[in-house]
Amino acid sequence: MLRASSLFNWLVAACLAVLMLGTQAAQAAGHERLSLDAGWLFHRGDVPMPPIKGHGMSYHNGKANNGWGAAAADFDDSAWRRLDLPHDWAVESPFDRNENVSQGYRARGIAWYRRYLPLAEADRGRHIELQFDAIATHSTVWVNGIVVDRNWSGYNGRSIDITPYVRYGADVNTIAVRVDADAQEGWWYEGAGIYRHSWLVKRDALHIATDGLHANPVKQGGRWTIPVEVTLQSSAKAAREGVVDVVVTDPTGREVAKGSARARVGALDSAVARMKLDVRDPQLWSLAQPNVYRVRAVLRDGSKELDRTEVQTGFRTIRFDADRGFFLNEQSVKLQGVCIHQDHAGVGVAVPESIWEFRLRRLKEMGTNAIRFSHNAPAAEVLDMADRMGILVMDENRNFNPSPDYMKQLTWLVRRDRNHPSVILWSIFNEEPLQSTEAGYEMSRRMVAEIKKLDTTRPVTGAMHGGLTTDLNAADAIDVVGVNYQIGIYDHYHKKHPKRPLTSTEDTSAYMTRGEYVSDKTKQVFGSYDDEPSSWGNTHRQAWKAIGQRPFIAGSFIWTGIDYRGEPTPYQWPSAGSFFGAMDLAGFAKGAFWIHQAQWVKDRPVVKLQPHWNWAGQEGKNIRVMVTSNAERVRVVLNGTDVGEQAVDPYEMNFFQVPYAPGRIEAVALKDGKEVARDVVETTGAPVRLVLTPDRKALAGDGLDAVPITVSAVDAQGRSVPLAQNKVGFALEGQGAIIGVGNGDPNSHEPDKASERSLFNGLAQVIVQSSREGRGTLKLRASADGLQAAEVELALNAVAAPPQVPTAEPTTPMLGWRISPAAADRPDPNVVLAETDMNSWGWDEPPMRRGPEASPFRLYRSSVNVRADRNDGHGQLTFGSIAGKAEVWVDGTKLGEKTSAEPAPFAVTLPKGGSRREVTVLVEAAPGQPSGLWGRVVLERGAR
Ligand code: GAL
């Protein structure tokens, strides 16, 4: 029966929604890039598609909008978990020895995400794009039940044009994503789910394509120019013209060049607007001064701005020389590089940008000047950061395969990243068994050729771990030959191919556990003295010695800068994370960190003494002391007495045997006989108090910013206790959340998502993130049995959160209807339409205006999946407007009758019942009168 109150509510709500959406769109014409991270629904596990059986189902299955099960627009997701992206479900799982060691013993599996997407009427005619920065691993995306994208890599972003399929106004759209993380692409932890950001981009029908601004400065004949290419696309119905204005601004924001180009773009076509901009005496991008310029392109139609985009770039020259290695701005730079994967303690692969900033800053502290993002594309924001921080990047493609699907992944990478001054090399493969063969050569040749079509300024490399001596191999097709390990082949290869630039793409692979100084197989721990390389690798010291002494090797990329989950080589269970890192998974330094700092840092004196000095019970016994320094000499002093002095060995470092006596041991670094740096290590007492040391004291209240906080325990005199292993509990007050905890112990099975964590050798990390619109202060308290608690306050700075797509509740619109031919006599509303008859009744979607009719009666039939929250006896089947008299039948029962013939809203209450209902509306209109379902038909929650 019609319920006036609920109908009124519905009308008011619908009008408000339309008004709200309308206002938003009116405020934001032109280009809008909205975060789509908030408001997703998640279901872990598959929702199997029903088997396709019978003619009706098979027929429907062959149609565009055939999304079944959780892919369907009206699927009941009312019990699903609500969450915000980025999200990695694997890191939420417990460790399980039956899962894959390579993935860190974490279950992966299959899961689904859904999200409701409202679009304003005012958006009609714009170009609407759905963007996912990465989803691990295979994924399929449906919009309103239509498959709109499939992707077979967990590392590439996608821009999906959803313009043709979306609805505007009161009916929200449904996005469904099935993620198959049973698929794997790596032998390391890859995470699972939509683990990078997602976006909704709205532009004019004539717009700049995603990644469509190519503006990479080049130096020609002593002059700097930017050959700019702007790719325009149009989804308009006729050809259109636009003018693109491009402006280049220097690091202070001052305009230094500009130009314009006009382009005509055919309907559903694309065109490139080109111009060359001269920039006089730009400030060069270098490691010490990473001067970042911005290039902005604005597309206009007359005076109306249609779209705009902006990229970051920089002026620098790069060159690889076969004899002298890498040159940046014609200055020789030895690559002091690290390979890294992308997961961090606590958060898995869903790493906030600010945690990336922390990771990169830690690597710079170690002296790193180059990163190989192994073995896949990093998040876009990480490359922006590398530009700003002055870090060189080897940008690596995941899949070695020139077939069309995979080639798309490669060209996506180059298009996205080709403006970054930090990117100096494209890497097309890592350790491919085909590398030694003609197939490897031919595959590489094709991939290189495709890259060169998009970027001629950067060389291409590939990481060879063999195959270099065959007659024809992959190295013959690339510009810079990358060598993994095999330091013994450097001289031979260089001699045989004196014109080929060479770099290490991977070296070391030596094992260390942070804070441990004695290896113990039974406990699966390694000492941190850099004594234990893998059988195929070298110690950090050996590898750098081989590379540092050979000018023709452009540089080193150690395996790895930071630990990662999975690959606990040489161990397996219970070890679940790697031992290779110079830092542990939380970014705490291991022995190799200090070795590289001594080898790589040139601009300040450094010295570090290891191990800790807590060796109770070993008094008088020799303790091996490693001193790492970039000074000329180092002296070790124990309790005020000199123990020894040595000339610094810049490759091997310096070792001393020191009979243990508790107290104070010091390493003094000397240059020209004078002290330039000192490191002091003291024997500590038992822990008495916890200490919280945040990486920063304030964070942006934008729901994105996150701060790592170091947890440690100190003795009565305030000294950090290196072997403390206390379990620490955390409580957070304020508008934020603890998003993960860690301690860098590869053998720990404590959960990442928790409010407690044990210290591991004196340290743990807790990561705190602000809420969107977070204001005030965050107060973190840490407590542990027997220790004095610690507290820290972080200010939440008021900043505007990035613009968001509003969240929306499902509306369950009834869309697909069959319509009987008009009949002179009242038909039976329950007449069975043969399952095989796809033609005698028509097909349509509301609004369905019929009439004036020759004959008075028609049946309208559809079915709907009833969400649990509408299947409680209060659900309302609401018709925006029915013209004519009408009877509403559901599953053979008449639920309501509209007695007036005027077009008017109507609603019936749905009794409890099965989840799938068949709805038939019998409409009767007098000859010559309007007839039909004129408005939306929606199954909504009724008033209780
Ligand atoms: C290399 C490989 C890396 C990692 C490393 C461990 O062969 O490229 O991904 O597995 O070995 O030593």
Side-chain angles (χ1 to χ4, degrees), residues 310-342:
E310 198 168 314
V311 295
Q312 187 169 287
T313 193
F315 293 80
R316 88 287 184 271
T317 61
I318 55 168
R319 173 164 76 81
F320 280 83
D321 183 279
D323 290 317
R324 294 164 61 210
F326 176 66
F327 286 78
L328 178 66
N329 300 323
E330 287 309 314
Q331 289 182 354
S332 163
V333 174
K334 194 83 178 179
L335 302 177
Q336 299 169 171
V338 299
C339 299
I340 47 172
H341 284 314
Q342 57 175 350

Side-chain angles (χ1 to χ4, degrees), residues 187-188 341 372 375 430-431 465 484-485 506 509 534 536 559 564 567 580:
W187 47 96
W188 57 88
H341 284 314
R372 175 183 181 210
H375 304 292
N430 173 65
E431 301 189 344
H465 70 329
N484 279 12
Y485 309 98
E506 205 173 303
S509 274
S534 57
W536 57 93
W559 190 265
Y564 50 97
E567 215 176 29
F580 295 118

Side-chain angles (χ1 to χ4, degrees), residues 336-360:
Q336 299 169 171
V338 299
C339 299
I340 47 172
H341 284 314
Q342 57 175 350
D343 59 320
H344 189 86
V347 294
V349 292
V351 183
E353 190 171 337
S354 47
I355 298 300
W356 267 113
E357 193 275 334
F358 168 76
R359 287 160 69 87
L360 265 48

